[in-house]
Amino acid sequence: MGSDHHASTSPSNQTNQSTRTLFITTLLLVTCNAVSAAALRNPYIKARAHGPVKKKLDRPVVILVSSDGFRFGYQFKTPTPNIHRLINQGTEAETGLIPVFPTYTFPNHYSIVTGLYPASHGIINNRFVEPRTGDQFSPARHEPKWWLGEPLWETVANQGLKAAAYFWAGSEVRKGSWDCPKGYCMKYNSSVPFEERVDTVLSYFDLPSDEIPAFAALYFEDPDSHGHVVGPDDVAITKAVARIDSMIGRLIDGLEKRGVFEDVTVILLGDHGMVGTCEDKVIFLDDLAPWVEIPADWVHSYFPLLAIWPPAGHNLTEIVQRMNQGLDSGKVEKGKSLRVYLKEELPARLHYAASDRIPPIIGMVDEGFTVAQRRTEGARYCGGAHGYDNEYFSMRSIFIGHGPRFARGRKVPSFENVQIYNVITSILNIKGAPNNGSKSFPQSILLPAQ
Ligand SMILES: *[C@@H]1O[C@H](CO)[C@@H](O)[C@H](O)[C@H]1NC(C)=O
Ligand SMILES: *[C@@H]1O[C@H](CO)[C@@H](O)[C@H](O)[C@H]1NC(C)=O
Ligand SMILES: *[C@@H]1O[C@H](CO)[C@@H](O)[C@H](O)[C@H]1NC(C)=O
């Protein structure tokens, strides 16, 4: 999604606001202390203050939190006490969550909520062209024709339950019984402070129990938005990670205050990792001209996914052969770090062929490499990127599950994010749509239902 710019509050405003927050917090603390001290002395007061003791939640609830570009390992960059509380008291993919290929934001977020590979859910890149109509997809397109498959909020709504999404790829698309209801489905705006997002999700737990969403998605743009600019090892990333940790703390605190933290399932994950792209790791397509010309208007994306769509009538096999001849010749700078395929000949584990939206020629670059058309100023891009082969460890993100169905302190092996759809429908005890996760996966990481 877009980069976030939410530093617009003026300093004086901030001071006023924090003074007010401090005042309210103090008031709350005083009130809570008074109530609990009284309750300790006399158990009937508790019953009187809160009504008869009643289980707060009538059914399982899952909050799915995504921190964009949270590379596996970032949780060790800086103290992350809240994330570690979830890890220590929950179940963690010990060596991270494996994204789908291409390891971009939109394809991955939509795989997480549909359980489908991009070729099946249709969001094959952050931007692409529909070949029959020439219509262009971008993250702002919300017509259902782009978004195939059945995302979790639709599955939940189809079964008569409430769902909510505070920003998620595809959540504003009306499909099935999901009509992106007011108050439960937010229009994307990267300026909305993270605190407001968390507090809105928390406020659902103040509603009557049949209005509490069974499933709520919550999205943060960071640390991805910093990672692209500075690469994975900058101090800005450390700060972004600390900020995400504090948002997790805010969520946990809010759930605890409402007495539901142990009953609600919180899943914290990310869509992909990040790798540095500096050090001159760039391949120029114009360097291939002695073998084959690749005009810029054939190129749908340069890196990390090189996607080429020549006009009808060109011999695709021949283009691929000539490109690879040039790259292997030893005469093209860094040529050995790019390999070009007809999409049908990509390694099958990438599942990146079975959609007519996927351009016919796909290039795979080595980790951290970039591709540009020609040697011009600025063609060498120094920062961070993702989109590479999902086999690279640097592309992995995190998976942590905390709640009644996740064992405490358990570590499980890494798995692909298409498994998550079935995990969530299992926890919610609802019937899911057909997808690419395995039916038996949920029982391998979940405790049996009570
Ligand atoms: C986006 O959110 C910011 C911060 O809450 C707000 O000031 C702004 O008006 C919003 N923009 C739109 C288009 O709603
Ligand atoms: C395309 O090129 C390949 C490799 O040069 C060749 O074997 C094949 O016959 C060509 N196909 C057509 C339809 O010309
Ligand atoms: C993924 O699941 C869809 C829907 O069931 C199916 O059509 C598709 O063939 C599956 N893809 C793979 C690679 O198994």
Side-chain angles (χ1 to χ4, degrees):
M1 301 206 184
S3 54
D4 72 325
H5 311 279
H6 47 68
S8 51
T9 325
S10 75
S12 68
N13 250 342
Q14 255 165 6
T15 316
N16 281 342
Q17 213 165 359
S18 33
T19 315
R20 190 150 26 94
T21 313
L22 188 68
F23 174 68
I24 294 172
T25 313
T26 315
L27 227 159
L28 270 173
L29 278 176
V30 170
T31 319
C32 289
N33 281 341
V35 169
S36 54
L40 274 178
R41 279 192 307 273
N42 181 348
Y44 292 104
I45 292 184
K46 189 173 177 198
R48 242 196 299 141
H50 298 279
V53 179
K54 180 170 165 286
K55 205 160 167 259
K56 288 241 169 163
L57 300 172
D58 295 343
R59 60 174 76 88
V61 172
V62 175
I63 303 177
L64 177 65
V65 186
S66 166
S67 168
D68 199 319
F70 198 112
R71 171 176 164 167
F72 180 78
Y74 278 3
Q75 69 271 33
F76 305 118
K77 266 188 181 292
T78 186
T80 51
N82 299 297
I83 294 174
H84 273 86
R85 181 164 171 201
L86 295 182
I87 292 174
N88 295 332
Q89 299 177 5
T91 297
E92 181 194 24
E94 187 162 24
T95 47
L97 178 64
I98 303 170
V100 294
F101 180 79
T103 52
Y104 287 126
T105 297
F106 271 66
N108 272 280
H109 273 99
Y110 205 52
S111 285
I112 291 165
V113 293
T114 56
L116 294 168
Y117 291 112
S120 291
H121 69 48
I123 308 301
I124 55 107
N125 202 331
N126 289 341
R127 289 170 193 278
F128 59 88
V129 175
E130 167 60 52
R132 272 158 305 166
T133 58
D135 203 4
Q136 301 202 6
F137 173 82
S138 79
R141 299 295 301 265
H142 300 311
E143 304 95 318
K145 65 170 183 178
W146 300 106
W147 307 82
L148 314 178
E150 188 182 296
L152 279 163
W153 42 80
E154 183 188 349
T155 304
V156 169
N158 285 350
Q159 296 178 47
L161 300 174
K162 288 240 180 325
Y166 214 121
F167 305 157
W168 200 282
S171 61
E172 290 171 61
V173 181
R174 295 175 156 81
K175 275 163 70 75
S177 305
W178 174 255
D179 59 355
C180 187
K182 201 163 178 284
Y184 289 89
C185 168
M186 307 303 163
K187 284 202 163 53
Y188 185 61
N189 174 356
S190 61
S191 305
V192 175
F194 292 174
E195 288 81 356
E196 192 173 323
R197 307 179 193 190
V198 172
D199 294 352
T200 302
V201 169
L202 288 171
S203 73
Y204 296 139
F205 294 91
D206 301 329
L207 295 171
S209 64
D210 60 341
E211 284 172 39
I212 299 174
F215 171 77
L218 171 60
Y219 170 79
F220 303 119
E221 290 82 353
D222 279 344
D224 183 78
S225 65
H226 289 91
H228 282 286
V229 184
V230 296
D233 294 318
D234 192 274
V235 65
I237 296 295
T238 310
K239 286 189 183 145
V241 167
R243 183 158 155 66
I244 292 300
D245 186 70
S246 77
M247 289 306 114
I248 299 304
R250 192 180 182 98
L251 181 66
I252 294 174
D253 287 351
L255 292 172
E256 279 189 321
K257 285 207 181 92
R258 291 165 177 83
V260 292
F261 177 53
E262 296 300 334
D263 296 330
V264 169
T265 299
V266 176
I267 294 176
L268 172 63
L269 49 69
D271 50 347
H272 55 69
M274 184 70 71
V275 70
T277 55
C278 303
E279 303 167 46
D280 241 14
K281 293 186 283 198
V282 52
I283 298 137
F284 297 100
L285 292 184
D286 282 1
D287 288 359
L288 292 171
W291 292 270
V292 57
E293 297 229 17
I294 306 293
D297 60 4
W298 292 10
V299 182
H300 286 215
S301 77
Y302 281 93
F303 74 89
L305 181 79
L306 174 62
I308 299 172
W309 208 322
H314 285 266
N315 184 331
L316 302 173
T317 309
E318 195 176 319
I319 292 169
V320 168
Q321 280 177 1
R322 292 199 180 168
M323 286 184 80
N324 284 329
Q325 272 165 18
L327 294 167
D328 289 342
S329 68
K331 294 178 189 142
V332 171
E333 195 185 332
K334 307 287 193 290
K336 299 245 161 63
S337 287
L338 169 62
R339 182 89 207 156
V340 180
Y341 300 83
L342 287 173
K343 67 178 176 183
E344 295 81 8
E345 289 167 8
L346 282 167
R349 63 181 173 77
L350 298 173
H351 306 292
Y352 200 61
S355 163
D356 59 5
R357 295 175 179 180
I358 300 173
I361 297 176
I362 298 294
M364 304 275 294
V365 285
D366 286 346
E367 187 174 31
F369 278 78
T370 65
V371 178
Q373 188 70 33
R374 64 184 60 91
R375 297 169 180 276
T376 52
E377 208 151 329
R380 288 174 204 274
Y381 169 79
C382 184
H386 54 86
Y388 299 96
D389 192 338
N390 62 345
E391 214 167 52
Y392 289 128
F393 200 76
S394 59
M395 294 298 106
R396 284 196 192 172
S397 189
I398 50 168
F399 174 93
I400 306 153
H402 180 283
R405 299 286 302 278
F406 286 107
R408 288 176 175 254
R410 181 162 177 218
K411 307 290 178 202
V412 294
S414 290
F415 55 88
E416 266 190 299
N417 64 19
V418 294
Q419 304 289 2
I420 290 167
Y421 179 91
N422 287 344
V423 170
I424 293 178
T425 56
S426 297
I427 296 170
L428 296 179
N429 194 23
I430 58 175
K431 189 172 156 22
N435 67 86
N436 302 129
S438 96
K439 284 213 164 65
S440 60
F441 182 79
Q443 73 201 45
S444 77
I445 74 161
L446 294 177
L447 298 168
Q450 287 301 312

